[in-house]
Amino acid sequence: MNKVFVAAVSGMAALACSAAFVPDAMSVPKPGAVKPAGWLRDWAEAAAKGYTGRMPEVDEEFVRAWRADFTPRGRKLNWWEGTWSFEGGAYWFDGLVRLAFQLDDPELKALAKKRLDPVLDHANANAIGFCWWLDRRDAQHWSEVLAAPWMANWVAGMFARPVSAWYEATGDVRAAQALRAALGDAYWVTQFGSTPTYPSGAYESWRVTGDAQIAAALVAFADCLATNRVRETYATAPTNGLEATLWTKRKDHWAMKWPSRHGVFTHEDLLSVFAAWRATGDAAFLEAVRAWYAFLDARARLPFGATVMDEEWGHPGPGRGTESCALAAEEWSRINLMAGLGEGRWGDDVERAFFNAAPAMTDRAWRNHVYFQVPNRLEARPVKRLSVGDTVEETSATYARKHSPLCCTAGLNRVLPNYVQAMWTTTSDGGVAAALYGPCSVDVAVPGGRFAAEERTDYPFGDAIEIEIVAAPAGEMPLKLRLPGWCANPRVSLDGTPLATKPASGFVDWLFGLFADRPTFKDGFMTMTRAWRAGEKLSIVFPMEPRVDVVRDLDDTQKDFACLSAGPLLFARGFAEKDANAAAEEIAVPEIDPRTALAGARLNRAALPRPWNWPLASPTTLSVKDAAGRALELVPYGCTKLRASMFPAGAAK
């Protein structure tokens, strides 16, 4: 792309670019607009007292990340030469800023400000990315960046997220200026936009600032993507025959895998292609994103809700796993798809991973974590993964203070606050949506005033949710509820009066709708449009019926495995622990016959203990029988550290 075209795009942007963007169906509110409550707040406070509030104690890399006196040059700009801390700092700050305002925690807020201040104080229009010490007017500086572009593209796109979150939460004008300086150069984006985080970071920056220069940069990137002037594997649908490459010993296919099949790259790539669609409305980009997630969901989805990402994607199996940093990237990508498209199915996906994979990634105090988690963790054994250089290496699946590299240690801080922030959204029709469920409060601005509500529930450990309206604007306002795809018969009532939870069918329903307010239904959401009043209560029940799914391990055993769920929860046989890495009992994985597993199955519930820390002695259990007819008590997957959640599909005896 030449600079003449870029200049033309930039010149038109101030008048037209932003208006051309596809409006999001739903918008995730600023950090702190949604605050966790109940058991979810207990978990968030554990994160604040653990990793998120104490990262400098974990490793020296987090002490120097984005510090004013750490300004590497030359080859030191490379990831492997000592600047990993800039990427790790970006991951950590992203979670830190959001959690600080969600908990309204003065210490976390002060820590976030202290860590962001060096960048915000030094940002300038001549810097390269957020690297204030590099001057784009200096030929030597340019040559160093071109030789080691990682800092100025991947890191810049990732660092845009905590800066955007800080700007939303505080209105700090330094943050808006830093975002424009780092991401508002269309020529720069077209040179480095093929790195996944840069366009998605630019979109997030534009979303919160409305800056026309950032908008122009995104349009320029999308033009390069559409004309193949940047390399982007995920801008087109999966090719025929790709299925045949998904096997354990994948070394023969190395050339087509790195970096395109690496876990974090995959979801960040897809999020940037989605950003290109948001910037242009080009249907080809959206079709590619849909096709890729359809491919991954059908072939590479693990029972706990995340895609296989033990460095790269592949077939699910009891020993295949996912990285915690890939879990964070996938969650944020699917949240963006839910918000941008207004489709509830993506919310189902987010909940499945959040209520299962997220609690399993750390210990109960948020002080130790696993690099990879696998469905059947029977011992703290190494997990095989592919690495750069076409070799198979082993990475520990133990819970430890940190793992090398430190990607997951940093990235896990994003998972919980990103979920909380997206639980409620505002909508393009001037209303609000309950998008992801759990105990929380919400307070957002809407046309005509303010909407606030309290959401009281033990979901997903219980199936009842109560939403009490605290404040609402005068006049009518649409309020949407996501109806989970797994729930066949949801029940909703307003102040005790039942509401329809399915579209009208037949003449009687149609006639009734003429004389009474009736909800509408689209894309997994139920919409009620009316004048809301403080004190009104919505009572929701999502009955959770036990179900069994069969997953074939196409990598190692070529056998079928049974997985048991109820609602968004996966259930597992948890083994008594000496600690998170050692069992206190003999481990034996029972067989389960999928044809008889649900005969007499019972979902048991008791009150949640407080504070909640995902105890192995869970008050929510699933009673089933194994293939030999013996009683088997299963607990939510997230409550386990040593477990089996994929059971050999044996025949009943």
Side-chain angles (χ1 to χ4, degrees):
M1 171 168 288
N2 60 54
K3 290 190 177 183
V4 173
F5 174 81
V6 172
V9 171
S10 300
M12 294 184 293
L15 295 176
C17 261
S18 298
F21 276 38
V22 177
D24 282 349
M26 306 190 302
S27 295
V28 175
K30 68 181 182 180
V34 182
K35 291 182 167 61
W39 72 262
L40 188 54
R41 186 174 182 91
D42 293 343
W43 196 24
E45 289 178 345
K49 294 173 184 175
Y51 280 115
T52 306
R54 306 168 71 109
M55 289 300 287
E57 300 173 18
V58 175
D59 193 274
E60 180 65 24
E61 293 279 10
F62 299 107
V63 175
R64 66 178 183 166
W66 297 98
R67 205 169 60 188
D69 60 354
F70 183 45
T71 55
R73 294 280 307 279
R75 65 184 180 85
K76 293 294 185 181
L77 291 170
N78 277 309
W79 189 90
W80 55 87
E81 292 283 357
T83 54
W84 179 87
S85 60
F86 289 95
E87 179 187 355
Y91 293 147
W92 169 38
F93 297 168
D94 190 25
L96 171 63
V97 171
R98 298 174 200 275
L99 191 65
F101 287 90
Q102 290 164 3
L103 292 177
D104 199 16
D105 186 315
E107 291 185 8
L108 288 186
K109 290 178 183 179
L111 178 59
K113 183 178 186 302
K114 176 182 177 181
R115 300 311 302 259
L116 289 174
D117 270 348
V119 182
L120 303 186
D121 285 340
H122 289 90
N124 64 87
N126 295 317
I128 299 177
F130 289 99
C131 302
W132 70 83
W133 61 94
L134 298 175
D135 192 327
R136 64 177 64 198
R137 299 167 298 181
D138 188 308
Q140 178 60 36
H141 290 196
W142 266 105
S143 66
E144 292 175 11
V145 170
L146 291 172
W150 172 82
M151 268 287 290
N153 46 38
W154 177 277
V155 172
M158 184 57 66
F159 197 72
R161 296 174 189 174
V163 177
S164 296
W166 181 258
Y167 176 69
E168 274 197 297
T170 67
D172 188 336
V173 295
R174 297 176 304 159
Q177 292 165 351
L179 291 168
R180 184 178 196 179
L183 301 166
D185 187 326
Y187 181 71
W188 181 248
V189 172
T190 59
Q191 299 306 301
F192 294 96
S194 59
T195 296
T197 65
Y198 205 105
S200 60
Y203 181 84
E204 184 72 6
S205 303
W206 170 81
R207 187 183 72 82
V208 303
T209 65
D211 189 275
Q213 284 188 212
I214 298 176
L218 271 169
V219 172
F221 161 73
D223 175 78
C224 285
L225 196 60
T227 56
N228 296 317
R229 281 180 280 188
V230 296
R231 179 178 175 271
E232 175 50 79
T233 304
Y234 292 90
T236 56
T239 57
N240 292 332
L242 196 58
E243 166 77 13
T245 73
L246 307 186
W247 51 298
T248 299
K249 310 237 184 297
R250 304 173 298 280
K251 292 163 57 176
D252 292 343
H253 302 279
W254 184 262
M256 66 179 294
K257 293 194 295 291
W258 190 270
S260 64
R261 282 171 62 165
H262 176 58
V264 175
F265 280 12
T266 296
H267 298 300
E268 293 291 354
D269 268 317
L270 287 166
L271 187 53
S272 281
V273 176
F274 190 59
W277 171 74
R278 285 166 141 174
T280 64
D282 186 336
F285 294 140
L286 179 57
E287 290 167 5
V289 173
R290 288 191 184 280
W292 270 106
Y293 271 118
F295 175 85
L296 293 171
D297 288 349
R299 296 166 175 83
R301 196 88 179 276
L302 286 159
F304 50 65
T307 306
V308 170
M309 290 295 178
D310 40 16
E311 288 303 322
E312 65 169 42
W313 38 263
H315 286 304
R320 291 302 297 269
T322 197
E323 296 178 271
S324 296
C325 47
L327 173 64
E330 180 168 9
E331 176 195 50
W332 189 237
S333 181
R334 291 183 189 261
I335 283 172
N336 271 266
L337 286 161
M338 177 185 70
L341 301 173
E343 295 175 355
R345 55 146 295 195
W346 303 102
D348 294 354
D349 297 341
V350 172
E351 284 192 357
R352 179 74 173 186
F354 182 72
F355 292 135
N356 297 293
M361 70 182 178
T362 69
D363 68 3
R364 296 179 179 95
W366 278 76
R367 300 292 179 88
N368 294 278
H369 77 95
V370 289
Y371 197 103
F372 292 119
Q373 63 171 291
V374 293
N376 287 11
R377 184 175 182 267
L378 309 180
E379 57 183 338
R381 63 179 177 79
V383 175
K384 289 184 178 180
R385 67 170 186 175
L386 277 174
S387 182
V388 182
D390 199 13
T391 61
V392 175
E393 64 179 29
E394 293 185 338
T395 294
S396 174
T398 59
Y399 286 87
R401 186 68 163 149
K402 60 184 178 181
H403 294 273
S404 180
L406 290 163
C407 313
C408 290
T409 310
L412 61 83
N413 292 281
R414 304 172 58 210
V415 176
L416 198 157
N418 279 344
Y419 183 91
V420 171
Q421 192 172 341
M423 292 175 75
W424 283 82
T425 69
T426 55
T427 59
S428 60
D429 56 5
V432 296
L436 304 170
Y437 292 107
C440 67
S441 63
V442 58
D443 194 332
V444 292
V446 293
R450 162 180 170 247
F451 175 83
E454 301 282 344
E455 183 174 339
R456 304 183 187 99
T457 181
D458 283 341
Y459 182 92
F461 310 102
D463 54 15
I465 301 168
E466 180 184 87
I467 297 172
E468 180 176 357
I469 310 299
V470 174
E476 292 190 343
M477 184 200 77
L479 190 156
K480 301 177 187 291
L481 300 176
R482 193 187 103 254
L483 301 180
W486 49 260
C487 184
N489 296 296
R491 302 195 299 272
V492 179
S493 62
L494 176 61
D495 285 341
T497 301
L499 302 177
T501 56
K502 293 182 180 179
S505 60
F507 177 75
V508 174
D509 279 352
W510 174 82
L511 186 62
F512 176 80
L514 294 178
F515 299 98
D517 292 333
R518 188 179 182 90
T520 58
F521 302 87
K522 183 181 179 182
D523 293 331
F525 283 90
M526 167 185 174
T527 302
M528 298 155 285
T529 302
R530 61 188 301 278
W532 298 91
R533 297 186 303 276
E536 290 182 314
K537 294 179 181 178
L538 281 165
S539 297
I540 306 163
V541 179
F542 295 134
M544 300 180 188
E545 298 296 331
R547 64 184 186 276
V548 61
D549 298 300
V550 176
V551 178
R552 170 151 289 202
D553 174 11
L554 294 174
D555 274 334
D556 296 324
T557 66
Q558 300 294 312
K559 293 181 179 178
D560 288 339
F561 289 81
C563 302
L564 291 149
S565 303
L569 291 176
L570 174 68
F571 283 81
R573 165 74 167 91
F575 301 105
E577 307 161 5
K578 290 181 182 176
D579 55 48
N581 293 316
E585 63 175 307
E586 183 178 348
I587 288 180
V589 180
E591 293 184 341
I592 286 182
D593 186 343
R595 298 166 300 178
T596 61
L598 299 184
R602 186 176 69 257
L603 189 59
N604 313 296
R605 295 189 176 107
L608 297 186
R610 299 290 303 276
W612 174 256
N613 70 348
W614 296 90
L616 181 59
S618 171
T620 299
T621 63
L622 178 62
S623 301
V624 297
K625 290 184 178 179
D626 67 13
R630 295 174 297 222
L632 189 60
E633 198 81 354
L634 306 179
V635 299
Y637 173 95
C639 292
T640 66
K641 302 306 173 192
L642 294 147
R643 62 180 167 265
S645 64
M646 294 181 68
F647 302 95
K653 298 177 176 62

